[in-house]
Amino acid sequence: MFPRPAPRRRLATATVALGLLCSLSTSAWAGSRHPAPAHRHARVTHVPSAAGSSTPLSAFAIQSTAKVDDSAEAVSSPGYPAADWYPAGPRSTVLAALLANGRYADPFHSTNQDKIPRADFQVPWWYRADFTVADTTERTHLDFSGVISAADVYVNGRQVARAADVTGAYTHHELDISSLVKSGTNTVAFRIRPNEPNKNLTMGWIDWLQPPPDRNMGIVRDVLVRRGGPVGLRDAHVVTKLAVPSLATADLTVKAQARNDSATAVTAEISGTVAGAAFTRSVPLAAHETKTVTFSPADVPGLHLTSPKVWWPAGMGAQSLYDLDLTASVSGTASDTAHKSFGIRDVQAPLNSDGARQYRINGRKLLIKGGGWSPDEFLRWDSTYVEDRLKYAVDLGLNTIRLEGHIEPDEFFDLADRYGVLTLPGWECCDKWEGQVNGNGESGDEWTTADYPVAKASMAAEAARLRDHPSVISFLIGSDYAPDATIEKNYLDALKAADWPNPVVSSASDRSSPQLGSSGMKMSGPYDWIPPNYWYAKREGGATGFNSETSAGPDIPTLDTLRRMMTPAELDTLWKNPGTRQYHRSPSPVFGTLKIYDAALTGRYGAPTGLTDYVRKAQLAQYENVRAQYEAYARNATDASKPSTGMIYWMFNSGWTSLHWQLMDRYLDQGGAYFGAKKANEPLHVQYSYDDRSVVVVNNRHAAAGGLTARATLFNPDGTQKYDKTVTGVTVNGDGAHGTALTLPASVSGLSSTYLLRLTLTGADGKEVSRNVYWLSTKADKLDWAKTDWYHTPTTGYADLKGLASMAQAPVSATASTESSGGRSTTTVTLRNTGSGRTPSLFTDVHLVDAQGKPVLPVRWSDNEVGLWPGESVTLTATYRTADLHGSAPGVRVSGWNTPEQTVPAA
């Protein structure tokens, strides 16, 4: 994130000496979303003897070294009494384990996290686990990454690696422990060192949230025990070459490392299958020799595919995947196996004539519409929770997630592959990762000689782990700053060695590096509140080029969530005192308050009269702003001059209970920001342009759309119609093209200073395919462009939307029913404005609730926060897991800007 005064980084090596073997690859991360019950004894992991088996340690026992007087040899020996240690999951930071054991109160509520003593995490902690093997005939390796920040490693009382070597969150390590493993119980122990993101090449939280007191020290990916024979298979992957634009053929090249771990020469038989092709080769290996084994269409004709199943992002085609299976055998006995899933697709990202990066997938241009990803603050891994958020991304019509650091485990990318969500991983700013190159005032220590190999090893490990995932379309080797020549060369050498198939980008900001040149991206903000018309200017953060992180800042959650995360006194302060620092916003002095946001809310909508009024105005403001952001970028995507090519909403989600930078909240509840994005990204969409008053149809489908009818109607807040125009025969090309249906007049007689615009788009069959309601003002928001800084452009005059307060109450009837099957439920809701006058119901929100009135989450609505004129009705559907009702009958809570709240049964 751009010049944000905040924390920063550092640390060390990835190869392990002592006669122990290393290689490139990785596993997985973190703990669990919900606290698990404490078990006083960590589970013992039973490791099978089958060649090629890879078994994650199932749990650890952890304890502070300040409370352990015994030697490392004793702690790491089988039978050591760890009865007073804390149980921890297989991927767990220290604090995540302590939270799971009920040591501290809910850190997501109020200021509970601030009460956790930081001194407890300023000393190393022991991680200890037992595993059993039935015999020692197979070789045994310890395989891991995700250590934060460094660790001394012991097995059965012997040190097998030093913290100077096992350092950095992303470096991968494979230790040959065959000589130490015995039949029966074995022990592995890690002495984890404290983390400091400004000093270690690990992970930090910049200004996203209040950083965890332990700074995420721990082990956040799986520690694997691998068994195998004399020859191991490593680094297996498939290099794909797709014929573009025909997509008629694809060539596959299979590569793997065959490694002789024995002290004698052997001949290995390497065989495999992929895409229906089978192949085999004899590979002689000297003692301890490693060879790269390659199978290509030149020697295996079956690796030349005709009519391949191509992988596409969601909305563009199918998410087809292939599987590679390899086996290494010695003297007819299986020695090791490898499996990889991959997709066939082509990614290009050249710079356009304006210098902006333009992505093409399988030869087709696409506007990157995304959001910035945050993991759980304590790096607890919950696959269901992650899957729910990725489903939300697809529901919102987004196609991309950006990961600035905090690069998630394999399962995340497996899910992204399955759901067709593109990903942009890269290194983070504002800590050690950019300490050598960042600007004045930025955090992060300068690099020492020891840091360079750690960074290169980190790049090599992540490249090897991510390259086969079709969802991964780039790696950003810099964020706020591009690397210098030495760092860039190290990264590029590692990427090349790993057969990295995708574009590499020098930074997420408008900077260049010596070899890669210009990033083609901008990081010009904003990060705090600006008005909706800001997005239409082709300058600063407006809709031109590729904006790697940008939004109007605060995203106030729903009232349900606010009451879960803050005390009554804090909620009073939230709406009464704009200048007060908000713990749930950011530790940054720039983003600590809601002063800019609250001033705009009052200036445009009127001063809040209470918490409920504050929240409903916030939802209205967030809807219009997020909608305008995505709509502006969509409208400008096919412009001949300075087109928009990409936009990452900052952020998609938050890792904790937050008041800013999120399209949905921690609990997956949805408000104005969510439904504003969903509306803007409809497949076929009619929208209003704040800059020139044009009514535009954007077609995100591949095929052209014709025979459309667009209608624009203007109303005063009391429902009096002041303008109406219909245009028939509208045709729009596909792939993000837009067409202007009409332009609203500059002035309309009798129009009040606050007014409503209703847009509808109907197909050739007369059915409505898009409806969009705006609340606008004859008095435009005024921006002081000359005083733009890195996080916002000041507003000197606000649009007058206070007239919305005068809208009469509009009664809305609701009926609902639910059908359930196969663990899923669908609730269908019909809303009708039953008013006898002219006043519409504005921003009518529907929440699925249980018998206690609590939201049922996650849920995916067909539409929400709708506007209905008298006599109009709409039918909405909500889909969700039946289990999330927890046995309760469903209900539907309906409320709106000018509609009384009611709850109706939906069983």
Side-chain angles (χ1 to χ4, degrees), residues 367-380:
L367 171 68
I368 295 294
K369 296 183 292 185
W373 182 266
S374 174
D376 171 76
E377 178 177 6
F378 309 109
L379 304 185
R380 296 171 294 189

Side-chain angles (χ1 to χ4, degrees), residues 210-231:
Q210 299 291 349
D214 72 338
R215 294 299 196 271
N216 297 132
M217 68 181 297
I219 302 176
V220 297
R221 293 182 178 176
D222 284 340
V223 176
L224 303 174
V225 181
R226 303 181 68 156
R227 307 299 303 282
V231 174

Side-chain angles (χ1 to χ4, degrees), residues 239 251-255 279 281 293-304:
V239 179
D251 287 337
L252 309 183
T253 300
V254 176
K255 291 186 176 183
F279 43 87
R281 180 174 302 149
V293 184
T294 303
F295 301 93
S296 71
D299 49 88
V300 183
L303 296 179
H304 175 76

Side-chain angles (χ1 to χ4, degrees), residues 454-611:
V454 176
K456 184 176 183 179
S458 300
M459 185 73 266
E462 290 304 283
R465 189 173 70 93
L466 300 178
R467 65 192 162 198
D468 282 313
H469 289 283
S471 59
V472 178
I473 59 169
S474 271
F475 200 96
L476 279 65
I477 59 173
S479 179
D480 291 20
Y481 294 89
D484 63 23
T486 301
I487 298 172
E488 179 192 41
K489 183 180 186 303
N490 285 342
Y491 286 155
L492 294 180
D493 287 350
L495 287 159
K496 182 179 180 180
D499 291 326
W500 182 254
N502 303 313
V504 182
V505 181
S506 62
S507 71
S509 62
D510 185 12
R511 297 181 184 273
S512 300
S513 59
Q515 290 189 56
L516 295 174
S518 173
S519 69
M521 295 185 176
K522 65 179 181 178
M523 193 187 283
S524 47
Y527 299 99
D528 213 327
W529 191 86
I530 42 80
N533 62 351
Y534 171 97
W535 301 109
Y536 284 85
K538 289 193 174 184
R539 57 179 298 174
E540 269 69 42
T544 181
F546 194 120
N547 201 341
S548 67
E549 48 185 61
T550 184
S551 76
D555 287 304
I556 304 301
T558 63
L559 196 55
D560 294 293
T561 291
L562 285 171
R563 285 173 171 156
R564 289 182 70 174
M565 62 186 266
M566 299 171 77
T567 65
E570 290 166 341
L571 292 173
D572 270 351
T573 299
L574 178 65
W575 73 271
K576 289 179 179 177
N577 306 110
T580 301
R581 289 193 65 82
Q582 294 290 340
Y583 185 74
H584 285 269
R585 187 157 188 216
S586 172
S588 162
V590 177
F591 303 122
T593 75
L594 292 165
K595 189 174 182 179
I596 297 172
Y597 176 84
D598 287 353
L601 213 60
T602 295
R604 301 174 89 240
Y605 290 101
T609 58
L611 177 64

Side-chain angles (χ1 to χ4, degrees), residues 20 78 131 133 136 140 153-161 176-183 185-187:
L20 301 170
F131 65 93
V133 299
T136 58
T140 304
V153 187
Y154 298 82
V155 172
N156 290 345
R158 292 276 302 278
Q159 185 170 10
V160 295
D176 189 339
I177 58 172
S178 302
S179 63
L180 299 176
V181 171
K182 58 186 180 181
S183 296
T185 302
N186 298 268
T187 299

Side-chain angles (χ1 to χ4, degrees), residues 659-687:
L659 296 172
H660 75 167
W661 298 343
Q662 56 189 356
L663 291 175
M664 80 288 301
D665 64 40
R666 167 69 194 176
Y667 304 111
L668 302 184
D669 204 356
Q670 307 142 315
Y674 187 97
F675 290 113
K678 181 176 172 68
K679 175 58 63 177
N681 294 317
E682 289 177 318
L684 188 60
H685 179 64
V686 62
Q687 63 186 57

